[in-house]
């Protein structure tokens, strides 16, 4: 900036002032003409230096302007001619310039018209070049994106078609290969974020499919098991048909629900076409169940690295289903269909597990299936043991046994141990035998109720052969007889024998297919037959013998029947031997000990004969109506006693009417008749003795003794008349010896002999007991004035009365001595 204080000085004189002023203004004009300094600054320096500077400045300025004008005028005058020449030349050129301007404008117009199309085409080319560049860039980018989109589209198709394992593989390729190439695009980021969700969705869907499969397999287990057991039964039937030609291996089944190749047995003389037909009928598990959900789920969880979770879930669910399958219906024991459905479900369950074991790698292991089977086997055995105990129908038990055998054979074909099931069959066999015994108890009871207990009449040879074809009866004497004739046993004997054989057949049915030797089967048949004879038949016979309507005739016939049945036991042994082909001489062969059954029955029948006979005697005795105070007897035996003796005679005639042309029968009937007769006489003698010694009887007259003596005489006459042949001497009369000696003692009044010979082996009244004589004598003492017997004694001979008192005292002494001695 210009500093006025430093550049302007005040002049000391007018001349100096003018010089100074001119110098100052010269500097100012120089500054004004120059463009270096601002005008305002220069003018401010002029006005700020001294007063009236404006005026002087303006004067100086005018002078300056005039100087310049003169210089300009001089310059113009110097250049005027040239300017005029130039103007003239310029005017000449003006027309040409205008003409040229018109030409240029016209040329420009034409050029613009011609270039307008080129410009448009150029712009189009530029635009196309831009498009081409964009398209090339787009194609390049799309070439990177298209594989990603194609893979994603493929993924969607796989998900829609439920090919989840392939979808997981596609996801893996997308994540590892394709998406990283174009990860800068937003749609790829969305894809990358969607893939984990799709994985979880696949897991959920596959698990849902698995749950549906597990639910479906429960419904199909029954059909699978039914098919497997049917094929097992066909295989067992096929083996039985060729068993005589070749020994078959039971390691694996011909059938194969798990799709494994059936075994080929070489050497079978069977038609090849038949074998091919059998193979064509074999169904696989895949034919009945779609296992793809299991495979898919297993692969999916394997790919996702979560296989262990899937395995644990599958095994846990199958264990739960196993427990449900093993739970039987409460009424399962009522029909065979209940057992069949139960077995079908179990077989179906384990066939599926066996298929899973072989079709997958490690989803289930042999240890897992063995654990399931052991658990199931224990439950099955407990269920069968319980439900079979409720079953009372032998046919149902037999069908149950056949089902258990087929069930065991089926599962054994898949490698499951079934020995415990065959052990259970022995328990079921005992139950089967029990139901058979109950059934045959009813059969025997009906046979006994319908029997007429009379010898079988045969009128023709055909009838005779019909009987002996059912029962092994051989008697040369009867065969020689002319028709019509009678066989000694009643109709129940051949029926019982036939039913025992039917029982053996029924028992044999259970022993079939148990994989047991002939010796074991023979032993089982003999043991069950022994039970039938010694328990069931014996009980029926004992109950029959005790029935009120069975009389003495029926009892005798029962004795004859049991004898024939006892003889037939050896034929039953031969019958069992022919069935089992086991020689009875085998060391461990069980013998039929049913003989004791018939012996016991005979003894019971004999005892019942004696009991009924004695009961009948008691009935007659109860009809006795003695007048114990009668003065003298009627002179003839009592009516009740004569009726009793007539009854005994007719009764013992029954024994004589038995067939006597058979030595065994004659000996048997004679022995029974003799024993019955002796028993009847002894019981009659005892009853008569008890009648005399009855404590309620207080007085007995001599007339009553005489009447009683007449009745005893009739009994002795009956005994001596040999009502039953075979007694030696007076054996039968000895039954009344006690009564006879007692009555003789009182009738003869031979007390002196009795007392004198008492204790001597040769005593005439050896069988008279002192206490018995004393009791009877006490009843005859003179205890009342109405006692006519002793009143006569008192009138005629008081010494005799004194003698009676003496006898009573001596008898009492003897009785007391006997009691002290004893």
């Amino acid at each position: 900036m210009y500093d006025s204080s430093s550049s302007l000085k005040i002049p000391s004189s007018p001349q100096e002032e003018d010089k100074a002023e001119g110098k100052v203004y010269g500097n100012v004009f120089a500054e004004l003409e120059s463009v270096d300094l601002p005008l305002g600054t220069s003018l401010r320096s002029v006005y700020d230096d001294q007063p009236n500077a404006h005026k002087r400045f303006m004067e100086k300025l005018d002078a300056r302007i005039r100087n310049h004008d003169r210089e300009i005028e001089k310059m113009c005058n110097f250049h005027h001619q040239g300017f005029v020449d130039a103007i003239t030349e310029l005017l000449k050129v003006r027309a040409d310039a205008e003409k040229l301007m018109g030409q240029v404008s016209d040329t420009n117009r034409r050029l613009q018209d011609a270039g307008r199309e080129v410009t448009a085409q150029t712009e189009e080319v530029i635009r196309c070049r831009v498009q081409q560049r964009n398209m090339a860039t787009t194609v390049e980018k799309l070439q990177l994106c298209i594989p990603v989109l194609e893979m994603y589209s493929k993924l969607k198709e796989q998900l829609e078609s439920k090919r989840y394992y392939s979808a997981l593989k596609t996801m893996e390729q997308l994540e590892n290969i394709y998406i990283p190439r174009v990860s800068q695009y937003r749609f790829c980021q969305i894809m990358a974020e969607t893939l984990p969700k799709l994985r979880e969705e696949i897991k959920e869907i596959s698990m849902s499919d698995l749950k549906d499969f597990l639910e479906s397999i429960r419904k199909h287990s029954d059909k699978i098991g039914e098919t497997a057991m049917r094929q097992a039964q066909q295989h067992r039937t096929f083996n039985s048909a060729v068993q005589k030609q070749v020994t078959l291996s039971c390691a694996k089944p011909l059938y194969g629900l798990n799709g494994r190749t059936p075994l080929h047995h070489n050497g079978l003389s069977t038609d090849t076409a038949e074998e091919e037909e059998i193979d064509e009928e074999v169904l696989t598990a895949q034919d009945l169940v779609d296992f793809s959900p299991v495979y898919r789920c297993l692969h999916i969880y394997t790919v996702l690295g979560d296989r262990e979770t899937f395995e644990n879930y599958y095994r846990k669910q199958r264990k739960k289903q196993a427990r449900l399958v093993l739970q039987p219906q409460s009424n399962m024991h009522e029909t065979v269909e209940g057992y069949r459905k139960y077995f079908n479900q179990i077989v179906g369950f384990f066939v599926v597990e066996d298929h899973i074991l072989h079709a997958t790698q490690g989803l289930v292991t042999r240890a897992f299936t063995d654990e399931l089977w052991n658990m199931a086997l224990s439950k099955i055995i407990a269920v069968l043991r319980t439900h079979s105990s409720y079953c009372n129908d032998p046919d149902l038990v037999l069908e149950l046994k056949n089902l258990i055998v087929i069930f065991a054979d089926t599962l054994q074909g898949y490698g499951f141990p079934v020995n415990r099931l065959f052990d259970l069959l022995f328990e079921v066999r005992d139950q089967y035998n029990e139901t058979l015994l109950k059934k045959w108890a009813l059969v025997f009871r009906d046979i006994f109720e319908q029997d007429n207990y009379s010898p079988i009449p045969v009128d023709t040879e055909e009838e005779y052969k019909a009987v002996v074809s059912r029962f092994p009866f051989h008697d040369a004497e009867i065969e020689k007889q002319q028709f019509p004739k009678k066989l000694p046993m009643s109709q129940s004997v051949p029926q019982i024998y036939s039913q025992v054989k039917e029982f053996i057949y029924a028992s044999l049915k259970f022993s079939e297919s148990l994989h047991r030797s002939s010796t074991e089967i023979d032993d089982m048949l003999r043991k069950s037959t022994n039970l039938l004879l010694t328990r069931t038949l014996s009980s029926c016979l004992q109950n029959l013998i005790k029935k009120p309507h069975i009389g003495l005739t029926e009892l005798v016939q029962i004795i004859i029947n049991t004898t024939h049945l006892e003889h037939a036991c050896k034929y039953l042994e031969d019958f069992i031997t022919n069935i089992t082909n086991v020689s009875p001489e085998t060391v461990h062969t069980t013998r039929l000990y049913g003989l004791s059954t018939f012996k016991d029955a005979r003894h019971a029948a004999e005892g019942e004969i004696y009991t009924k006979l004695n009961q009948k005697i008691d009935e007659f005795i109860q009809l006795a109506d003695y007048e114990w105070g009668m003065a003298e007897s009627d002179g003839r035996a009592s009516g009740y006693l004569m009726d009793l003796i007539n009854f005994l005679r007719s009764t013992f005639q029954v024994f004589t009417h038995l067939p006597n042309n058979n030595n065994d029968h004659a000996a048997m009937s004679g022995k029974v008749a003799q024993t019955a007769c002796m028993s009847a006489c002894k019981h009659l003698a005892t009853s008569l003795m008890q009648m005399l010694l009855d404590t309620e009887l207080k007085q007995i007259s001599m007339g009553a003794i005489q009447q009683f003596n007449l009745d005893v005489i009739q009994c002795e006459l009956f005994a001596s008349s040999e009502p039953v042949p075979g007694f030696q001497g007076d054996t039968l009369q000895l039954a009344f010896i006690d009564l006879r000696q007692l009555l003789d003692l009182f009738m003869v009044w031979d007390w002196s002999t009795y007392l004198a010979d008492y204790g001597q082996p040769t005593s005439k009244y050896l069988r008279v007991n002192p206490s018995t004589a004393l009791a009877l004598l006490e009843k005859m003492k003179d205890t009342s004035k109405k006692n006519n017997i002793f009143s006569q004694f008192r009138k005629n001979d008081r010494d005799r009365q004194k003698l009676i008192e003496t006898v009573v005292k001596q008898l009492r002494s003897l009785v007391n001595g006997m009691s002290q001695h004893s």
Side-chain angles (χ1 to χ4, degrees), residues 22 34 64 94 119 125 175 202 218 328 371 434 451 482 484 523 537 549 571 576 585 677 684 716 743 761 788 806 817:
S34 174
R64 186 81 175 176
R94 180 177 181 180
T119 301
V125 170
E175 287 180 330
I202 290 174
R218 279 194 61 195
E371 178 186 356
E434 288 297 324
D451 193 10
Q482 298 295 323
D523 186 66
L537 182 56
H549 70 276
Y571 295 100
I576 295 175
E585 284 76 20
C677 188
L684 177 58
E716 291 173 333
L743 291 175
N788 297 325
T806 303

Side-chain angles (χ1 to χ4, degrees), residues 504-518:
I504 294 173
Y505 278 127
S507 181
L508 177 64
K509 289 181 180 179
F510 194 92
S511 302
E512 296 174 349
S513 305
L514 291 185
H515 308 301
R516 299 293 174 178
S517 65
S518 299

Side-chain angles (χ1 to χ4, degrees), residues 34 43 135 139 205 239 280 314 341 347 372 443 461 464 475 534 566-567 673 680 723 740 758 772 799:
S34 174
L43 291 178
M135 290 174 63
V139 169
I205 293 175
N239 284 348
E280 290 177 356
Y314 178 84
K341 184 176 180 181
V347 170
L372 275 181
V443 172
E461 182 71 22
Y464 179 79
D475 190 303
T534 59
E566 180 180 344
H567 292 164
R740 172 47 50 208
Y758 179 76
T772 304
D799 293 337

Side-chain angles (χ1 to χ4, degrees), residues 145-184:
C145 294
I146 285 176
V148 179
L149 296 174
E150 288 178 346
M151 291 297 289
Y152 194 78
S153 176
K154 179 181 179 182
L155 172 62
K156 288 295 185 180
E157 292 178 358
Q158 290 170 340
L159 291 175
E160 291 177 359
S161 61
K162 296 183 179 181
R163 292 184 289 124
Y164 300 118
Y165 178 71
S166 300
L168 289 174
K169 290 295 185 182
T170 303
M171 288 184 194
E172 185 177 355
Q173 292 178 354
L174 279 171
E175 287 180 330
N176 299 331
I177 300 174
Y178 293 96
I179 291 180
R181 296 175 181 174
V182 288
S183 58
Q184 68 272 21

